Amino acid sequence: MGLFIGSAHYLLAGVVFALLVRALLGKKAIRRNGEPLRNPPDTLPLVGNGIQFLQPRWNLLSWFNKCQRQFGYETLALTVPTLPPGVLIHDPKNLDYVFKHEGLFTKGNFVKTRSWDLFGNGIINADGAFWKLQRKAGLSFLNTANLRVLTDVALPQYLSESVKELEAAKPDQVVDLQDVFHEITTKLMGKMAYNMEMHFSSPFSSSFDHASGCTAQRFQNPLYPLTEFFFGHKFRQSISTVKKFGLEIVSRAMRDAKSISSSPPPSTSPDDEKLDSISGSLIHSLLSAIPDSPSTVADAALTYLSAGRDTTGQALTWTFYLLLSHPEVLSKIRDEVRGVLAREQAPLDTTTSSLPFSPAVLTPLSAPYSLAVFYESLRLYPPIPFEIRQAQAATTLPDGTFLPKDSVLVWCLWAMQRSRLTWGEDADQFRPERWLDGNGTIKHKGAAEFPVFYGGARSCLGRKMAEGIAVQVIPVVAWGWEFEGAWEGGQERRSGDSLTLPMEGGLPVFVRRRRGETTGR
C-alpha cells in the first residue's frame, strides 16, 4: 500500500480516475437552511477533498484539525470522488443527535465493504439481532464481579509479569513501552475473555496489525481494489492468519467446555480460583448466543480482542509519551500514590519485588489524578481518531443541515477534542487538571464533547475496564521507574497507518528503577 501513496504515477492515476468518476456521476450539494455548505480548506475543483484523503494518516488528522480551527462548529461539505455526498461535523449538538439516533446513522455499506475482510460479522460491523447478541455477551463478560477479579487478581498478576522487562533493563538498554503495555492488555484479554495464554509478540498480533493498516488505507484510497490486486499478497496472508486464529479461539473454547464439564481443573490458590472461574467467559457467552455459526463467533471474538487489547495499550503508550515531556505531571502522580499508600497503610517494597506495592489499592476513586491524566491523553490522542457513519434515511441535523439518504457523515475526534470552543484556549496543551474540580474530583464531559468512548446505544462497553487498567498501570509504572526517550533526534512521535492509533516505531526508552523512597517526602 505504501507504494501507492509514495509513487507519483499512482497518485496521478488516482487523480485521473477521480476526475472521470466525478465528471461522469456528479453529485448534488448538501445544504443547510437552503444554502450549500462551505467547503473545507484545500478543496480542489472536481476532485474535491480526494487528494487530502490520499495523504498519510497523520497528515489527514492535521487537515481535520485545520478544518475545525478555521470553521469552528460549522458543518462542512466533504466531496471525495467515488464516495456518496458527505459532511464533516464539529458541533457537539450534531454529534449528540447522531448518538441519539443510532438506527438512523449506521456503518452502512461504505464502511462494511471496507472492513468486512478483517471484522466480518463482528460487533463493529453488526446491526440488528447480531449486534444485540454480541453486545449482550459483552455486557455479561464485563459485569461488576468480573471487573473486580480483573482489578484485584488478573491485572496485578500480569502487570507484575510484564514489568519484569523494566526491572531487568540495563542502563544502556532500550525498552519499547508500547510492547510492554500491549503485553499486559493481550494477556488480560487472552485469559479472561478466552481462557488462552496470549502474547503480543505472536504471529497473530503482527498479522492483525498489518491487516488493520491495510484496512485503514481502504478508507483513504479510492483505488484500493486495484492496488490490493497488485500489492495485496501480504494483506491476504495476514487476513488468513487472523481468521485461522479466530477459529482456533472458538474450537478451543468448545473443547474446554467439554473437558471442564467432565473434570474441572484444580485451583492452586483462592486468587487462581477466582480467575479460573471467569476465564473464557466472553467466548462462552458468544457461543451460547450464536451456537450455529462458529465463523460469526470467531469474528465477534476477534473484534472484542482488538477493542480490549489495542485501544488501551495504545492509550497507555501515548500517556507515557506525554509524561516524558511533563515531569511536573509525573511528580503529581507520585504524590497521589503516596497519599493512597498512606491512607491504605499499604506496605512499600522498592527493592525485592517487580512491583513496589499492590496495585489493587489504586482505583478510579482513590486515584482521580491518574484517571485525569488518562482522560487527557485520550483527549489528545484518541485511539479511534475519526468515525464514519452513513444516513439510512433523509434527515436534518440540529444546525439545519439536510442529509439525503446514503450520505456520509464524518467526525474527527482528533480535531473535535482539540477544539478551543469546547476545551478553551489551552486546548492543545496537556493539562490533566482540566478534568478535576476544586475538590480534586473527576469532572465528566458529555459523550458529544468527549466522544472517545462513543455515546448512545453503542457506547463503549470496555470503558470501566480501560479505566481500571489505566489507574493501576500509570501510577505503578510512574512510581517504580524513571524513563528517558531513546529515539533519534527527539522528534515528535507519530501514528502508523491503522484503524486505531498505534505509535509508529513504538515508544523506545531508557529505564532506571527508582529506589530508596519508603514514605512521603
Side-chain angles (χ1 to χ4, degrees), residues 218-238:
R218 288 179 166 187
F219 290 92
Q220 296 179 232
N221 172 14
L223 296 181
Y224 78 85
L226 180 62
T227 53
E228 285 180 8
F229 178 81
F230 289 105
F231 308 115
H233 178 67
K234 185 177 179 180
F235 174 50
R236 291 186 287 273
Q237 283 186 322
S238 296

PDB file of all heavy atoms in Angstrom, residues 218-238:
ATOM      1  N   ARG A 218      -7.960   1.459   2.991  1.00  0.00           N
ATOM      2  CA  ARG A 218      -9.138   1.358   2.130  1.00  0.00           C
ATOM      3  C   ARG A 218     -10.061   2.566   2.270  1.00  0.00           C
ATOM      4  O   ARG A 218     -10.782   2.906   1.336  1.00  0.00           O
ATOM      5  CB  ARG A 218      -9.922   0.083   2.473  1.00  0.00           C
ATOM      6  CG  ARG A 218      -9.254  -1.208   2.042  1.00  0.00           C
ATOM      7  CD  ARG A 218     -10.087  -2.409   2.458  1.00  0.00           C
ATOM      8  NE  ARG A 218      -9.659  -3.630   1.783  1.00  0.00           N
ATOM      9  CZ  ARG A 218     -10.292  -4.796   1.866  1.00  0.00           C
ATOM     10  NH1 ARG A 218     -11.399  -4.877   2.610  1.00  0.00           N
ATOM     11  NH2 ARG A 218      -9.841  -5.849   1.225  1.00  0.00           N
ATOM     12  N   PHE A 219     -10.053   3.194   3.440  1.00  0.00           N
ATOM     13  CA  PHE A 219     -10.914   4.350   3.665  1.00  0.00           C
ATOM     14  C   PHE A 219     -10.317   5.629   3.071  1.00  0.00           C
ATOM     15  O   PHE A 219     -10.993   6.644   3.000  1.00  0.00           O
ATOM     16  CB  PHE A 219     -11.155   4.536   5.165  1.00  0.00           C
ATOM     17  CG  PHE A 219     -12.027   3.474   5.765  1.00  0.00           C
ATOM     18  CD1 PHE A 219     -11.474   2.341   6.313  1.00  0.00           C
ATOM     19  CD2 PHE A 219     -13.409   3.594   5.742  1.00  0.00           C
ATOM     20  CE1 PHE A 219     -12.266   1.338   6.859  1.00  0.00           C
ATOM     21  CE2 PHE A 219     -14.219   2.603   6.280  1.00  0.00           C
ATOM     22  CZ  PHE A 219     -13.641   1.471   6.840  1.00  0.00           C
ATOM     23  N   GLN A 220      -9.067   5.578   2.674  1.00  0.00           N
ATOM     24  CA  GLN A 220      -8.418   6.755   2.109  1.00  0.00           C
ATOM     25  C   GLN A 220      -8.096   6.605   0.627  1.00  0.00           C
ATOM     26  O   GLN A 220      -7.963   7.606  -0.075  1.00  0.00           O
ATOM     27  CB  GLN A 220      -7.123   7.050   2.886  1.00  0.00           C
ATOM     28  CG  GLN A 220      -7.361   7.411   4.349  1.00  0.00           C
ATOM     29  CD  GLN A 220      -6.069   7.664   5.110  1.00  0.00           C
ATOM     30  OE1 GLN A 220      -5.832   7.097   6.158  1.00  0.00           O
ATOM     31  NE2 GLN A 220      -5.223   8.527   4.578  1.00  0.00           N
ATOM     32  N   ASN A 221      -7.968   5.393   0.169  1.00  0.00           N
ATOM     33  CA  ASN A 221      -7.529   5.136  -1.196  1.00  0.00           C
ATOM     34  C   ASN A 221      -8.703   4.627  -2.034  1.00  0.00           C
ATOM     35  O   ASN A 221      -9.120   3.484  -1.883  1.00  0.00           O
ATOM     36  CB  ASN A 221      -6.399   4.103  -1.172  1.00  0.00           C
ATOM     37  CG  ASN A 221      -6.006   3.640  -2.571  1.00  0.00           C
ATOM     38  OD1 ASN A 221      -6.380   4.249  -3.572  1.00  0.00           O
ATOM     39  ND2 ASN A 221      -5.251   2.558  -2.630  1.00  0.00           N
ATOM     40  N   PRO A 222      -9.267   5.442  -2.927  1.00  0.00           N
ATOM     41  CA  PRO A 222     -10.413   5.005  -3.723  1.00  0.00           C
ATOM     42  C   PRO A 222     -10.078   3.886  -4.697  1.00  0.00           C
ATOM     43  O   PRO A 222     -10.973   3.213  -5.198  1.00  0.00           O
ATOM     44  CB  PRO A 222     -10.834   6.279  -4.466  1.00  0.00           C
ATOM     45  CG  PRO A 222      -9.613   7.124  -4.500  1.00  0.00           C
ATOM     46  CD  PRO A 222      -8.871   6.834  -3.235  1.00  0.00           C
ATOM     47  N   LEU A 223      -8.795   3.669  -4.956  1.00  0.00           N
ATOM     48  CA  LEU A 223      -8.387   2.609  -5.875  1.00  0.00           C
ATOM     49  C   LEU A 223      -7.891   1.368  -5.144  1.00  0.00           C
ATOM     50  O   LEU A 223      -7.140   0.573  -5.698  1.00  0.00           O
ATOM     51  CB  LEU A 223      -7.282   3.127  -6.802  1.00  0.00           C
ATOM     52  CG  LEU A 223      -7.667   4.263  -7.762  1.00  0.00           C
ATOM     53  CD1 LEU A 223      -6.478   4.630  -8.622  1.00  0.00           C
ATOM     54  CD2 LEU A 223      -8.844   3.861  -8.629  1.00  0.00           C
ATOM     55  N   TYR A 224      -8.335   1.184  -3.906  1.00  0.00           N
ATOM     56  CA  TYR A 224      -7.785   0.067  -3.134  1.00  0.00           C
ATOM     57  C   TYR A 224      -8.021  -1.305  -3.787  1.00  0.00           C
ATOM     58  O   TYR A 224      -7.152  -2.193  -3.664  1.00  0.00           O
ATOM     59  CB  TYR A 224      -8.310   0.091  -1.696  1.00  0.00           C
ATOM     60  CG  TYR A 224      -9.716  -0.412  -1.487  1.00  0.00           C
ATOM     61  CD1 TYR A 224      -9.978  -1.775  -1.318  1.00  0.00           C
ATOM     62  CD2 TYR A 224     -10.801   0.468  -1.441  1.00  0.00           C
ATOM     63  CE1 TYR A 224     -11.274  -2.236  -1.127  1.00  0.00           C
ATOM     64  CE2 TYR A 224     -12.093   0.007  -1.253  1.00  0.00           C
ATOM     65  CZ  TYR A 224     -12.329  -1.348  -1.094  1.00  0.00           C
ATOM     66  OH  TYR A 224     -13.599  -1.797  -0.904  1.00  0.00           O
ATOM     67  N   PRO A 225      -9.144  -1.563  -4.490  1.00  0.00           N
ATOM     68  CA  PRO A 225      -9.255  -2.886  -5.125  1.00  0.00           C
ATOM     69  C   PRO A 225      -8.139  -3.134  -6.139  1.00  0.00           C
ATOM     70  O   PRO A 225      -7.628  -4.261  -6.245  1.00  0.00           O
ATOM     71  CB  PRO A 225     -10.626  -2.837  -5.816  1.00  0.00           C
ATOM     72  CG  PRO A 225     -11.408  -1.820  -5.053  1.00  0.00           C
ATOM     73  CD  PRO A 225     -10.392  -0.773  -4.683  1.00  0.00           C
ATOM     74  N   LEU A 226      -7.756  -2.075  -6.852  1.00  0.00           N
ATOM     75  CA  LEU A 226      -6.703  -2.220  -7.848  1.00  0.00           C
ATOM     76  C   LEU A 226      -5.343  -2.395  -7.197  1.00  0.00           C
ATOM     77  O   LEU A 226      -4.568  -3.290  -7.566  1.00  0.00           O
ATOM     78  CB  LEU A 226      -6.693  -0.985  -8.772  1.00  0.00           C
ATOM     79  CG  LEU A 226      -5.640  -0.977  -9.880  1.00  0.00           C
ATOM     80  CD1 LEU A 226      -5.862  -2.134 -10.834  1.00  0.00           C
ATOM     81  CD2 LEU A 226      -5.679   0.353 -10.621  1.00  0.00           C
ATOM     82  N   THR A 227      -5.023  -1.558  -6.202  1.00  0.00           N
ATOM     83  CA  THR A 227      -3.710  -1.652  -5.561  1.00  0.00           C
ATOM     84  C   THR A 227      -3.568  -2.951  -4.780  1.00  0.00           C
ATOM     85  O   THR A 227      -2.481  -3.533  -4.734  1.00  0.00           O
ATOM     86  CB  THR A 227      -3.479  -0.448  -4.637  1.00  0.00           C
ATOM     87  OG1 THR A 227      -4.577  -0.325  -3.740  1.00  0.00           O
ATOM     88  CG2 THR A 227      -3.367   0.840  -5.435  1.00  0.00           C
ATOM     89  N   GLU A 228      -4.660  -3.437  -4.189  1.00  0.00           N
ATOM     90  CA  GLU A 228      -4.581  -4.708  -3.470  1.00  0.00           C
ATOM     91  C   GLU A 228      -4.408  -5.879  -4.430  1.00  0.00           C
ATOM     92  O   GLU A 228      -3.779  -6.893  -4.091  1.00  0.00           O
ATOM     93  CB  GLU A 228      -5.828  -4.911  -2.609  1.00  0.00           C
ATOM     94  CG  GLU A 228      -5.837  -4.052  -1.354  1.00  0.00           C
ATOM     95  CD  GLU A 228      -7.084  -4.262  -0.505  1.00  0.00           C
ATOM     96  OE1 GLU A 228      -7.871  -5.190  -0.820  1.00  0.00           O
ATOM     97  OE2 GLU A 228      -7.284  -3.496   0.465  1.00  0.00           O
ATOM     98  N   PHE A 229      -4.954  -5.741  -5.625  1.00  0.00           N
ATOM     99  CA  PHE A 229      -4.792  -6.804  -6.621  1.00  0.00           C
ATOM    100  C   PHE A 229      -3.312  -7.003  -6.948  1.00  0.00           C
ATOM    101  O   PHE A 229      -2.834  -8.131  -7.077  1.00  0.00           O
ATOM    102  CB  PHE A 229      -5.578  -6.454  -7.889  1.00  0.00           C
ATOM    103  CG  PHE A 229      -5.445  -7.470  -8.992  1.00  0.00           C
ATOM    104  CD1 PHE A 229      -6.209  -8.626  -8.975  1.00  0.00           C
ATOM    105  CD2 PHE A 229      -4.546  -7.279 -10.034  1.00  0.00           C
ATOM    106  CE1 PHE A 229      -6.079  -9.578  -9.987  1.00  0.00           C
ATOM    107  CE2 PHE A 229      -4.407  -8.215 -11.043  1.00  0.00           C
ATOM    108  CZ  PHE A 229      -5.179  -9.369 -11.018  1.00  0.00           C
ATOM    109  N   PHE A 230      -2.575  -5.895  -7.045  1.00  0.00           N
ATOM    110  CA  PHE A 230      -1.156  -5.986  -7.404  1.00  0.00           C
ATOM    111  C   PHE A 230      -0.242  -6.124  -6.183  1.00  0.00           C
ATOM    112  O   PHE A 230       0.771  -6.817  -6.248  1.00  0.00           O
ATOM    113  CB  PHE A 230      -0.741  -4.752  -8.210  1.00  0.00           C
ATOM    114  CG  PHE A 230      -1.314  -4.711  -9.598  1.00  0.00           C
ATOM    115  CD1 PHE A 230      -2.356  -3.848  -9.907  1.00  0.00           C
ATOM    116  CD2 PHE A 230      -0.822  -5.544 -10.588  1.00  0.00           C
ATOM    117  CE1 PHE A 230      -2.888  -3.807 -11.187  1.00  0.00           C
ATOM    118  CE2 PHE A 230      -1.355  -5.519 -11.878  1.00  0.00           C
ATOM    119  CZ  PHE A 230      -2.386  -4.644 -12.174  1.00  0.00           C
ATOM    120  N   PHE A 231      -0.589  -5.455  -5.080  1.00  0.00           N
ATOM    121  CA  PHE A 231       0.338  -5.378  -3.946  1.00  0.00           C
ATOM    122  C   PHE A 231      -0.248  -5.968  -2.652  1.00  0.00           C
ATOM    123  O   PHE A 231       0.305  -5.756  -1.581  1.00  0.00           O
ATOM    124  CB  PHE A 231       0.718  -3.910  -3.675  1.00  0.00           C
ATOM    125  CG  PHE A 231       1.215  -3.183  -4.886  1.00  0.00           C
ATOM    126  CD1 PHE A 231       0.517  -2.111  -5.418  1.00  0.00           C
ATOM    127  CD2 PHE A 231       2.386  -3.582  -5.509  1.00  0.00           C
ATOM    128  CE1 PHE A 231       0.970  -1.439  -6.541  1.00  0.00           C
ATOM    129  CE2 PHE A 231       2.853  -2.923  -6.629  1.00  0.00           C
ATOM    130  CZ  PHE A 231       2.139  -1.845  -7.157  1.00  0.00           C
ATOM    131  N   GLY A 232      -1.345  -6.700  -2.738  1.00  0.00           N
ATOM    132  CA  GLY A 232      -2.042  -7.126  -1.535  1.00  0.00           C
ATOM    133  C   GLY A 232      -1.751  -8.530  -1.053  1.00  0.00           C
ATOM    134  O   GLY A 232      -2.487  -9.072  -0.216  1.00  0.00           O
ATOM    135  N   HIS A 233      -0.644  -9.143  -1.515  1.00  0.00           N
ATOM    136  CA  HIS A 233      -0.356 -10.522  -1.123  1.00  0.00           C
ATOM    137  C   HIS A 233      -0.169 -10.643   0.385  1.00  0.00           C
ATOM    138  O   HIS A 233      -0.756 -11.535   1.027  1.00  0.00           O
ATOM    139  CB  HIS A 233       0.886 -11.031  -1.854  1.00  0.00           C
ATOM    140  CG  HIS A 233       1.276 -12.435  -1.469  1.00  0.00           C
ATOM    141  ND1 HIS A 233       0.497 -13.536  -1.776  1.00  0.00           N
ATOM    142  CD2 HIS A 233       2.359 -12.906  -0.773  1.00  0.00           C
ATOM    143  CE1 HIS A 233       1.083 -14.628  -1.299  1.00  0.00           C
ATOM    144  NE2 HIS A 233       2.196 -14.279  -0.694  1.00  0.00           N
ATOM    145  N   LYS A 234       0.610  -9.761   0.971  1.00  0.00           N
ATOM    146  CA  LYS A 234       0.843  -9.829   2.420  1.00  0.00           C
ATOM    147  C   LYS A 234      -0.446  -9.562   3.189  1.00  0.00           C
ATOM    148  O   LYS A 234      -0.693 -10.166   4.238  1.00  0.00           O
ATOM    149  CB  LYS A 234       1.926  -8.831   2.832  1.00  0.00           C
ATOM    150  CG  LYS A 234       2.312  -8.937   4.304  1.00  0.00           C
ATOM    151  CD  LYS A 234       3.444  -7.985   4.668  1.00  0.00           C
ATOM    152  CE  LYS A 234       3.789  -8.109   6.151  1.00  0.00           C
ATOM    153  NZ  LYS A 234       4.899  -7.181   6.541  1.00  0.00           N
ATOM    154  N   PHE A 235      -1.268  -8.663   2.682  1.00  0.00           N
ATOM    155  CA  PHE A 235      -2.550  -8.388   3.316  1.00  0.00           C
ATOM    156  C   PHE A 235      -3.413  -9.640   3.346  1.00  0.00           C
ATOM    157  O   PHE A 235      -4.004  -9.996   4.373  1.00  0.00           O
ATOM    158  CB  PHE A 235      -3.253  -7.250   2.573  1.00  0.00           C
ATOM    159  CG  PHE A 235      -4.648  -6.959   3.051  1.00  0.00           C
ATOM    160  CD1 PHE A 235      -4.927  -6.787   4.396  1.00  0.00           C
ATOM    161  CD2 PHE A 235      -5.688  -6.855   2.139  1.00  0.00           C
ATOM    162  CE1 PHE A 235      -6.223  -6.519   4.829  1.00  0.00           C
ATOM    163  CE2 PHE A 235      -6.988  -6.588   2.562  1.00  0.00           C
ATOM    164  CZ  PHE A 235      -7.257  -6.419   3.913  1.00  0.00           C
ATOM    165  N   ARG A 236      -3.494 -10.321   2.206  1.00  0.00           N
ATOM    166  CA  ARG A 236      -4.304 -11.531   2.154  1.00  0.00           C
ATOM    167  C   ARG A 236      -3.752 -12.617   3.080  1.00  0.00           C
ATOM    168  O   ARG A 236      -4.520 -13.350   3.726  1.00  0.00           O
ATOM    169  CB  ARG A 236      -4.388 -12.031   0.703  1.00  0.00           C
ATOM    170  CG  ARG A 236      -5.211 -11.110  -0.200  1.00  0.00           C
ATOM    171  CD  ARG A 236      -5.394 -11.704  -1.588  1.00  0.00           C
ATOM    172  NE  ARG A 236      -4.172 -11.647  -2.387  1.00  0.00           N
ATOM    173  CZ  ARG A 236      -3.816 -10.612  -3.142  1.00  0.00           C
ATOM    174  NH1 ARG A 236      -4.578  -9.528  -3.185  1.00  0.00           N
ATOM    175  NH2 ARG A 236      -2.713 -10.647  -3.851  1.00  0.00           N
ATOM    176  N   GLN A 237      -2.446 -12.733   3.142  1.00  0.00           N
ATOM    177  CA  GLN A 237      -1.845 -13.684   4.073  1.00  0.00           C
ATOM    178  C   GLN A 237      -2.180 -13.326   5.520  1.00  0.00           C
ATOM    179  O   GLN A 237      -2.481 -14.209   6.340  1.00  0.00           O
ATOM    180  CB  GLN A 237      -0.324 -13.712   3.897  1.00  0.00           C
ATOM    181  CG  GLN A 237       0.167 -14.477   2.677  1.00  0.00           C
ATOM    182  CD  GLN A 237       1.679 -14.574   2.659  1.00  0.00           C
ATOM    183  OE1 GLN A 237       2.386 -13.628   3.021  1.00  0.00           O
ATOM    184  NE2 GLN A 237       2.198 -15.712   2.223  1.00  0.00           N
ATOM    185  N   SER A 238      -2.118 -12.034   5.831  1.00  0.00           N
ATOM    186  CA  SER A 238      -2.412 -11.578   7.193  1.00  0.00           C
ATOM    187  C   SER A 238      -3.861 -11.873   7.564  1.00  0.00           C
ATOM    188  O   SER A 238      -4.151 -12.334   8.674  1.00  0.00           O
ATOM    189  CB  SER A 238      -2.128 -10.077   7.322  1.00  0.00           C
ATOM    190  OG  SER A 238      -0.756  -9.799   7.129  1.00  0.00           O
TER     191      SER A 238
END
